[in-house]
Amino acid sequence: MKKPILFAVDDDPEVLRAVERDLRRQYGERYRVMRASSGASALQALERLKLRNEPVALLLVDQRMPRMSGVELFEQAIPLFPEAKRVLLTAYAETDAAIAAINKARIDYYLLKPWDPPEQCLYPVVGDLLDDWQASYRPPFEGVRVIGHRWSPRAFQVRDFLARRQVPYRWLDVEAEEEARSLLDSLRSAGGNGNGAAAGGPAREAASEAAAEETGREADEAMSLPVVLFADGTHASDPPLAELAERLGLRTRAENPFYDLVIVGGGPAGLAAAVYGASEGLRTLMVESYAPGGQAGTSSRIENYLGFPSGLSGADLARRAVTQAARFGVEILAPQDASTLRLEEPYRVLGLASGAEVTCHALLVATGVSYRKLEVPGIERLTGAGVYYGAAMTEAMDLRGEEVYIVGGANSAGQAAIFFARYASKVIMLVRGGSLNKEMSQYLVDQICGTPAIEVRFHRQVVEAHGDVSLAALSIADSASGHVDKVPARSLFILIGAVPHTGWLEGVVERDAHGFVLAGPDLMREGQRPRGWPLDRDPFLLETSVPGVFVAGDVRHGSVKRVASSVGEGSIAISFVHQYMSQR
């Protein structure tokens, strides 16, 4: 944990050294002592400390300094560290300065120089002030902070990515929180354009006020939200996810050019294959376009997964699986997209969106599916600004007291409804059919029926979304009566259908009319092997039309869309990988 800071400011070098010496001697074990020789350099240092989220417990400032007096410094420092204790130093009694310091800067003490001996004149005063400060001190959050607007699609994407990658972060809404606005002001004053470095000692890094004003103007022009503040005080303005991942130390580039097994997709099927493949000695690389867990990773609660009688969240399942895979040496690239697949016999070469390539003996396609887009007016424009695909659990805390609409009638929609009912005043499920029982597990149907905050409306479809900056209303059609209602709405969650993303396999691997990958018996037409099949054997159960390229999970044609079945397919695919490699 970072030590709280005692900050001394005086333009007299001898006095400044004496203050630092006395403070360090008495409080050095519990506090960090810093100093600055002018108000301007002190203010810049304080702004950097604010960006690094470091606590300041005490400001000990000389009144008579050129260009910026002690009172003026206090006035500008209060918004940065309002809880810091403030002590004004002066060489002799100044009634006017004392009154100004009390009225404008709300100082805690007025201290005359010299203070010798410090045991009688300095330490009792500072000790009482620090005890008082400690009584109400709450250690700051030490991690990533995200500053942005609630209704910003980019801010939502960054928050969702951090949550899915299990990166602790703190969200600061510029419209609702003064701290967010104060941090942005500090960034502009520091002249950061998105990649500011952590600051060094304030005395060494003082800059002129004119230069600070100029860099501040440049920052105003360059900075765009969301802004991500890292624990070391550096920051990034509206960073692409790949850059954000690199700044967080997440792996986005393969360490080696060749692997025994490359898995494309990090959902339950891909994670299971990674664990089994690596544990059985295969050099394994997993490539995930967003975050491990896939669609299942967004599930608020999975209650029928074997071995977890109390249920677990999709994020929990993903976290456990990633830890297990890493323990066996699996290399995980995320976010990273697969873009091409080509054959260089006897190897398979995967092209990545970054332009890099990796080569392998065997490749497993486990890219899963995503929710189907709702093709009605207004939806695409408002996606990420009140309209979300999936459960979007990062939004849950902002839903208190609101009505939430959910489109869908399968398990994922049911799990989302139960989860959001903990926060929202009402959750309204819009179901196209006339019953939940057709596509939803009975345990979820029972929970929904027993939750007063959930209302299910059958034969309903969203036909239009309204709003300028964010979602404001929905037009909902009743297919039974033909009537359309326009209702106020701030949050809509869409959990319908299943769309595979397999365009990168076109022309290489056979797929069905909807893009799902064909494998095993589904490739055999009237007992004939797929066209171009080069081997004197039939394709294995989970092998595609290309030998050595396998498929598992929801992306496979005819798969059962359940987490347990995806895990099962991912694990048994490894046995076919071993058979393929042994027969080469």
Side-chain angles (χ1 to χ4, degrees):
M1 187 177 296
K2 298 173 181 175
K3 287 184 179 181
I5 292 166
L6 310 182
F7 206 127
V9 186
D10 200 306
D11 64 320
D12 185 324
E14 186 175 340
V15 173
L16 189 59
R17 284 193 294 270
V19 174
E20 182 185 24
R21 178 200 64 215
D22 290 343
L23 291 177
R24 197 181 301 279
R25 180 188 302 161
Q26 182 71 7
Y27 305 106
E29 289 187 7
R30 292 186 298 149
Y31 295 88
R32 177 183 165 201
V33 179
M34 294 182 65
R35 66 179 185 176
S37 58
S38 71
S41 61
L43 196 58
Q44 289 181 358
L46 289 171
E47 287 168 341
R48 289 191 289 266
L49 291 172
K50 181 71 173 179
L51 295 178
R52 293 204 296 267
N53 216 21
E54 296 197 46
V56 174
L58 176 75
L59 291 170
L60 196 67
V61 179
D62 182 44
Q63 167 60 13
R64 286 183 169 268
M65 294 186 294
R67 306 190 69 176
M68 184 184 295
S69 70
V71 172
E72 290 170 336
L73 173 58
F74 280 140
E75 288 183 281
Q76 296 189 54
I78 286 173
L80 298 172
F81 295 98
E83 304 302 322
K85 297 300 179 181
R86 294 177 284 278
V87 177
L88 190 67
L89 289 175
T90 185
Y92 51 87
E94 294 181 277
T95 305
D96 291 342
I99 293 173
I102 293 169
N103 292 337
K104 294 182 179 180
R106 303 193 300 277
I107 65 167
D108 297 283
Y109 205 87
Y110 192 83
L111 192 64
L112 294 177
K113 298 188 286 186
W115 52 84
D116 287 331
E119 289 78 9
Q120 294 180 19
C121 301
L122 179 67
Y123 297 153
V125 172
V126 171
D128 284 346
L129 291 175
L130 292 179
D131 287 344
D132 190 35
W133 181 84
Q134 283 283 0
S136 59
Y137 170 60
R138 298 294 179 270
F141 172 76
E142 295 186 14
V144 174
R145 289 168 289 169
V146 181
I147 306 172
H149 296 279
R150 176 186 173 185
W151 303 117
S152 161
R154 279 290 297 136
F156 167 73
Q157 186 182 42
V158 167
R159 293 164 60 200
D160 187 58
F161 176 76
L162 292 173
R164 295 280 302 277
R165 288 309 309 263
Q166 310 289 327
V167 177
Y169 74 95
R170 184 180 171 207
W171 164 243
L172 297 167
D173 188 340
V174 292
E175 295 179 350
E177 298 180 64
E178 178 60 36
E179 183 180 355
R181 295 186 287 271
S182 175
L183 283 168
L184 288 178
D185 288 342
S186 296
L187 282 170
R188 295 184 180 107
S189 298
N193 64 357
N195 292 291
R204 296 191 302 272
E205 298 183 13
S208 71
E209 293 176 8
E213 289 175 3
E214 179 62 29
T215 54
R217 284 193 294 271
E218 292 173 358
D220 277 337
E221 296 172 359
M223 191 176 301
S224 56
L225 299 179
V227 170
V228 181
L229 287 167
F230 301 98
D232 63 356
T234 62
H235 61 279
S237 178
D238 193 15
L241 294 186
E243 177 190 331
L244 178 59
E246 288 190 5
R247 295 285 292 273
L248 293 170
L250 303 176
R251 184 172 289 149
T252 59
R253 296 182 178 88
E255 288 189 354
N256 303 298
F258 185 85
Y259 297 85
D260 295 320
L261 172 66
V262 170
I263 300 165
V264 184
L271 286 166
V275 168
Y276 276 84
S279 67
E280 294 175 14
L282 299 177
R283 289 173 297 170
T284 304
L285 172 73
M286 189 174 78
V287 179
E288 165 56 41
S289 64
Y290 192 62
Q295 192 181 86
T298 67
S299 295
S300 55
R301 203 76 186 163
I302 304 170
E303 296 195 47
N304 58 354
Y305 192 69
L306 186 66
F308 292 87
S310 299
L312 77 168
S313 68
D316 231 7
L317 179 63
R319 176 184 57 79
R320 292 167 182 262
V322 167
T323 301
Q324 196 172 16
R327 177 170 158 255
F328 287 119
V330 175
E331 192 177 323
I332 300 176
L333 305 188
Q336 187 61 263
D337 284 303
S339 58
T340 60
L341 175 62
R342 75 174 191 273
L343 311 178
E344 290 186 0
E345 296 299 343
Y347 307 116
R348 280 78 189 98
V349 181
L350 178 69
L352 303 176
S354 64
E357 290 185 335
V358 290
T359 304
C360 57
H361 286 305
L363 183 136
L364 175 67
V365 179
T367 48
V369 296
S370 61
Y371 293 110
R372 181 167 56 82
K373 299 292 185 183
L374 188 59
E375 303 288 349
V376 301
I379 290 292
E380 184 174 357
R381 178 172 52 84
L382 295 171
T383 297
V387 175
Y388 309 97
Y389 287 91
M393 287 182 283
T394 52
E395 297 300 299
M397 297 302 293
D398 292 327
L399 300 177
R400 294 188 184 278
E402 295 184 11
E403 287 191 352
V404 173
Y405 286 84
I406 293 176
V407 176
N411 276 5
S412 55
Q415 290 163 350
I418 292 167
F419 174 70
F420 287 136
R422 302 178 198 168
Y423 304 93
S425 60
K426 179 184 282 189
V427 176
I428 301 166
M429 296 185 68
L430 305 175
V431 181
R432 181 186 293 241
S435 170
L436 291 176
N437 297 87
K438 182 178 179 181
E439 296 185 55
M440 189 180 294
S441 298
Q442 188 61 46
Y443 81 91
L444 282 172
V445 175
D446 293 341
Q447 287 187 33
I448 289 170
C449 293
T451 304
I454 300 177
E455 177 185 339
V456 183
R457 298 178 185 175
F458 297 109
H459 307 294
R460 298 298 200 280
Q461 300 178 57
V462 173
V463 294
E464 188 171 358
H466 309 273
D468 296 324
V469 176
S470 62
L471 179 67
L474 294 171
S475 290
I476 301 172
D478 183 337
S479 59
S481 67
H483 184 70
V484 177
D485 285 322
K486 185 177 180 180
V487 298
R490 300 190 71 192
S491 299
L492 173 69
F493 298 89
I494 303 166
L495 301 98
I496 54 173
V499 178
H501 294 287
T502 56
W504 60 283
L505 294 170
E506 185 175 359
V508 182
V509 171
E510 287 192 27
R511 302 170 297 156
D512 66 15
H514 302 287
F516 291 91
V517 178
L518 298 168
D522 293 320
L523 290 166
M524 306 294 288
R525 299 178 181 86
E526 298 180 355
Q528 298 297 312
R529 293 167 183 162
R531 184 169 44 189
W533 182 258
L535 302 181
D536 188 23
R537 63 166 176 80
D538 293 345
F540 294 130
L541 179 64
L542 297 176
E543 195 169 24
T544 70
S545 58
V546 176
V549 177
F550 300 85
V551 63
D554 290 358
V555 72
R556 184 180 65 82
H557 169 83
S559 66
V560 178
K561 305 298 188 287
R562 289 290 186 269
V563 173
S565 63
S566 293
V567 170
E569 288 189 14
S571 60
I572 64 174
I574 300 304
S575 66
F576 297 122
V577 169
H578 282 299
Q579 290 183 57
Y580 165 76
M581 293 177 65
S582 67
Q583 295 174 8
R584 288 177 56 253

